[in-house]
Amino acid sequence: MRSFINRSSPQEPAYSDITPEPVYQTRRDLIRSLAAGSAGVALTTWGLREAHAQSARPGQLAALASGASAVPGAMTMDKPTSYKDATTYNNFYEFGTDKSDPSKRAHTLITQPWTVEIEGLVKKPGRYGLEDLMKMSAMEERIYRMRCVEGWSMVIPWIGYSMAQLIQRVEPLPGAKFVEFITQADPKTMPGLRGGAIDWPYVEGLRMDEAMHPLTLLAFGMYGEVMPKQNGAPLRLVVPWKYGFKSGKSLVKIRFTDKQPVSSWEKAAPQEYGFYSNVNPLVDHPRWSQATERRIGEDGLLAKKRKTLMFNGYEAQVGQLYAGMDLKKFF
Ligand code: MTE
């Protein structure tokens, strides 16, 4: 496709330490509702969402909250992107290639009922309902930087649990070396499928150890509410140390396999998009540099670009997964 074609460290204070009480209370209610399986709840008003987005400021210490993640690296101190930007500037090609298309068109996506098929080299294959998936593990909040391959980035408070929790529950067989993530492709509700930018469905994949890394998130919500459709409702992957396109939206199938999956972007333009797609300022995209990024919301005339960090700033947590690999070759 030619359209991409045409400081996180364990020393950072937890997000829960710096969240005002009403915001944190709302989030806790949401997590409780999610845990109880009531999909479709929307507990927050627009104002409160914005408050949520704006509340994470370094140095603003408040009472410790439950529901925030203890996973190292899961709570960046970077200021969250506004809810408005995070829900109106999207990549979701099933709804069109313009950044504003998903927020205008994704209302047609039908998210209930929803099932995810687990198949391949796994002891407990089957069709799992959304409610069952939501209850499979306790949800928590994670604030991740997201770096898009196109050179912009955001900071998003997600709600979900580590993909590892689901993987352990379905018991992959010893031969399973990779996990393939297949997303919804419904021509009736997804107008972008008519424009053949890539082969549908949108497919992504991870090595088993990447999928099992605690930072790899199965996300059901963001900003304290259930996932907006344009962001990949009702559930999506979030892999914060890889370019955003590795994080498939609206998952319908998870397949365990012994062969490295071919992701949609790799298939469309293999010289431009590798399987690994780790954020790496030292490996340029063939048509542009990856050394810097524009943080959405910081785009005034005087706003400086940020330096892109190795593994998007998650090197301390994930660097060892790639020890000894030539990351120019395995880009
Ligand atoms: N998942 C599907 N199914 N279709 C897509 O087009 N775009 C990817 C990823 N997941 C995409 C997808 C890209 S390029 C990015 S940068 C992120 O989703 C954007 O997620 P966001 O819109 O929630 O910020």
Side-chain angles (χ1 to χ4, degrees):
M1 141 175 237
R2 321 265 355 190
S3 95
F4 292 141
I5 286 185
N6 294 316
R7 143 207 92 180
S8 177
S9 78
Q11 286 85 4
E12 285 183 9
Y15 179 66
S16 51
D17 291 341
I18 55 165
T19 308
E21 178 63 22
V23 174
Y24 137 64
Q25 189 56 45
T26 304
R27 188 165 62 247
R28 209 202 254 156
D29 290 347
L30 175 88
I31 291 167
R32 215 176 279 139
S33 317
L34 285 172
S38 38
V41 283
L43 296 170
T44 50
T45 63
W46 182 278
L48 201 48
R49 281 185 220 135
E50 284 298 347
H52 190 118
Q54 301 309 320
S55 65
R57 288 200 193 87
Q60 185 191 337
L61 294 169
L64 201 77
S66 66
S69 181
V71 170
M75 288 287 164
T76 178
M77 287 305 298
D78 290 14
K79 183 168 171 259
T81 301
S82 77
Y83 180 87
K84 186 156 188 253
D85 282 340
T87 54
T88 54
Y89 190 89
N90 299 102
N91 275 331
F92 200 168
Y93 277 66
E94 288 85 335
F95 295 99
T97 53
D98 199 273
K99 298 284 177 266
S100 63
D101 284 340
S103 61
K104 287 187 208 141
R105 297 174 165 182
H107 59 90
T108 55
L109 179 69
I110 298 164
T111 56
Q112 276 181 309
W114 192 275
T115 57
V116 175
E117 200 164 343
I118 310 266
E119 61 176 41
L121 302 173
V122 64
K123 232 188 227 171
K124 297 180 178 166
R127 212 176 257 280
Y128 291 73
L130 179 63
E131 312 266 298
D132 294 333
L133 290 166
M134 283 180 150
K135 283 187 239 170
M136 216 171 248
S137 179
M139 303 236 188
E140 55 182 34
E141 179 159 73
R142 309 265 179 98
I143 305 180
Y144 284 169
R145 287 180 288 271
M146 142 102 79
R147 167 62 157 83
C148 185
V149 72
E150 297 164 313
W152 49 268
S153 61
M154 292 194 192
V155 177
I156 299 186
W158 301 106
I159 291 177
Y161 56 75
S162 293
M163 177 63 69
Q165 302 289 342
L166 181 146
I167 294 177
Q168 278 158 4
R169 288 288 282 273
V170 299
E171 299 183 42
L173 298 172
K177 302 283 182 261
F178 297 91
V179 191
E180 190 171 8
F181 299 94
I182 297 128
T183 74
Q184 175 73 307
D186 174 15
K188 289 198 289 295
T189 54
M190 297 175 140
L193 264 54
R194 272 174 253 138
I198 53 173
D199 281 348
W200 310 105
Y202 190 101
V203 171
E204 260 308 336
L206 295 173
R207 224 168 52 187
M208 184 63 92
D209 58 346
E210 297 178 319
M212 287 293 291
H213 192 282
L215 283 175
T216 300
L217 187 71
L218 187 61
F220 298 85
M222 59 188 248
Y223 295 84
E225 64 170 18
V226 292
M227 194 68 76
K229 291 186 174 179
Q230 60 268 40
N231 293 88
L235 80 169
R236 67 174 292 174
L237 194 63
V238 189
V239 193
W241 70 94
K242 293 179 181 277
Y243 291 116
F245 69 87
K246 294 297 285 184
S247 297
K249 296 176 166 183
S250 306
L251 299 175
V252 292
K253 207 178 272 190
I254 299 176
R255 182 183 294 145
F256 292 85
T257 143
D258 55 355
K259 285 184 207 67
Q260 184 171 301
V262 181
S263 65
S264 294
W265 288 106
E266 231 186 321
K267 200 167 167 191
Q271 66 293 354
E272 302 193 2
Y273 308 106
F275 174 77
Y276 283 93
S277 298
N278 288 316
V279 175
N280 189 341
L282 305 175
V283 176
D284 289 342
H285 183 282
R287 288 180 288 131
W288 59 82
S289 162
Q290 293 291 21
T292 60
E293 67 201 55
R294 184 171 63 90
R295 179 66 53 84
I296 300 296
E298 292 180 346
D299 35 13
L301 272 182
L302 299 175
K304 268 208 191 137
K305 283 195 162 191
R306 290 172 176 252
K307 278 196 172 144
T308 288
L309 302 174
M310 189 65 201
F311 296 114
N312 202 23
Y314 298 96
E315 185 167 17
Q317 290 79 33
V318 303
Q320 79 284 358
L321 296 178
Y322 310 101
M325 280 177 70
D326 177 353
L327 297 179
K328 290 211 158 82
K329 187 167 167 215
F330 297 101
F331 62 97

